[in-house]
């Protein structure tokens, strides 16, 4: 029996929408929620999303679907929510993991690059959270949101230079706190998980191809190594569960101690 199965299948009867769910942290979050009994919908722009949904359904015996959508497009997100409601049920849990990264000196970053990072990471978070909350309010029901921010919201991690990414994730944490206060009276609980360095497709190029930078990252992590997507997913699943009913507006850092130094 897995750790998730020992959690008493606390998400049974729940439908969860996970953006960026085709791979990486988003996929790990969807799989963790499925292991705890939830039906899951993976919202992503990647063509691999359907195969990811099939794998989750086969591994965990739940219903899982993929919906192709752009988190920066309100019409696309609204259509995706409607499709999830039709194919599964209206989602009562939202995990917003879709995002992008940019490593670029601030002196060289173009406005187009800056705008794209802010639009995907920050505006996309607002668009998806707003659409989800509107649907829950229209249904007269509450819900739970867990956004994926980053430790980069509060520190400048080095040696890479990523001012646009850092600013976007600081915005996500600020947005989460604001939405949490505004929506708590509506029965919609909002929190975030802020990962440190995690072995994903976005970081694998450094971890496998840039030994000097990878060593610099690890040297600053008290736990001794980068995390795994499942480390983040465990925290997300807990925040999304009824066990966290009194946790509101928090940004939980999962970084192996990096920001404690």
């Amino acid at each position: 029996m897995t750790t998730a199965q020992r959690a008493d299948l606390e998400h049974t009867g729940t439908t969860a929408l996970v953006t960026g769910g085709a791979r990486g942290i988003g996929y790990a979050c969807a799989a963790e929620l499925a292991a705890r009994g939830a039906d899951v919908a993976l919202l992503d722009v990647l063509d691999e999303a359907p195969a990811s949904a099939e794998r989750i359904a086969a591994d965990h015996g739940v219903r899982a679907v993929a919906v192709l959508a752009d988190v920066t497009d309100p019409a696309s997100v609204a259509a995706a929510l409607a499709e999830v409601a039709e194919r599964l049920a209206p989602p009562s849990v939202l995990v917003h993991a879709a995002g992008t990264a940019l490593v670029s000196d601030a002196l060289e970053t173009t406005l187009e690059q800056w705008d794209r990072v802010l639009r995907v990471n920050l505006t996309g978070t607002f668009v998806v959270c707003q659409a989800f909350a509107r649907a829950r309010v229209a249904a007269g029901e509450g819900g739970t949101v867990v956004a994926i921010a980053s430790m980069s919201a509060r520190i400048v991690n080095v040696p890479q230079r990523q001012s646009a990414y850092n600013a976007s994730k600081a915005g996500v944490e600020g947005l989460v706190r604001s939405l949490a206060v505004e929506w708590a009276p509506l029965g919609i609980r909002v929190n975030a998980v802020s990962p440190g360095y995690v072995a994903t497709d976005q970081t694998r190029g450094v971890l496998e191809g840039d030994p000097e930078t990878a060593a610099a990252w690890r040297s600053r992590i008290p736990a001794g190594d980068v995390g795994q997507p499942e480390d983040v997913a465990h925290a997300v699943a807990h925040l999304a569960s009824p066990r966290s009913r009194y946790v509101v507006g928090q940004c939980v850092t999962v970084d192996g101690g990096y920001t404690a130094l």
Side-chain angles (χ1 to χ4, degrees):
M1 181 176 290
T2 68
T3 299
Q5 287 170 327
R6 288 195 297 270
D8 299 327
L9 297 176
E10 59 193 349
H11 289 285
T12 299
T14 298
T15 297
L17 173 64
V18 182
T19 70
R23 64 185 185 185
I25 289 174
Y27 177 85
C29 291
E32 182 71 13
L33 290 167
R36 299 186 185 210
D39 293 329
V40 295
L42 311 184
L43 189 155
D44 213 307
V45 295
L46 298 177
D47 292 337
E48 63 198 86
S52 297
E54 290 177 6
R55 186 160 62 251
I56 287 174
D59 287 347
H60 301 291
V62 300
R63 296 184 298 165
V65 301
V67 180
L68 298 180
D70 178 358
V71 298
T72 70
D73 181 351
S76 179
V77 171
L81 277 168
E83 182 177 343
V84 173
E86 181 178 350
R87 297 175 65 184
L88 296 177
S92 59
V93 171
L94 166 64
V95 177
H96 182 65
T100 190
L102 173 69
V103 176
S104 173
D105 288 355
L107 289 175
E108 304 300 328
T109 300
T110 67
L111 185 58
E112 290 75 17
Q113 289 174 314
W114 172 273
D115 285 344
R116 182 177 185 276
V117 174
L118 270 290
R119 184 163 180 77
V120 172
N121 291 355
L122 181 54
T123 302
T125 301
F126 177 75
V127 168
V128 175
C129 289
Q130 183 188 59
F132 173 81
R134 283 175 170 173
R136 301 312 293 167
V137 170
E141 298 177 353
T144 303
V145 176
V146 184
I148 301 299
S150 172
M151 69 175 184
S152 304
R154 280 162 280 154
I155 55 101
V156 179
N157 34 330
V158 292
Q160 70 275 20
R161 296 173 176 175
Q162 50 183 47
S163 56
Y165 180 80
N166 296 349
S168 72
K169 291 301 186 177
V172 170
E173 286 202 352
L175 176 62
V176 162
R177 287 189 289 268
S178 298
L179 297 181
V181 171
E182 186 174 338
W183 292 349
L186 304 177
I188 299 172
R189 194 165 52 83
V190 185
N191 292 288
V193 172
S194 294
Y197 290 116
V198 175
T200 66
D201 292 287
Q202 288 188 347
T203 60
R204 192 163 290 117
V206 172
L207 294 173
E208 296 178 357
D210 187 348
E212 185 175 344
T213 298
W217 288 359
R218 290 186 171 100
S219 72
R220 292 173 170 86
I221 303 173
D225 203 353
V226 300
Q228 296 300 317
E230 293 74 19
D231 296 320
V232 180
H234 294 322
V236 168
H238 180 67
L239 285 176
S241 79
R243 302 182 191 209
S244 296
R245 67 172 191 86
Y246 204 57
V247 182
V248 177
Q250 300 305 303
C251 301
V252 178
T253 304
V254 180
D255 67 352
Y258 189 104
T259 56
L261 293 178

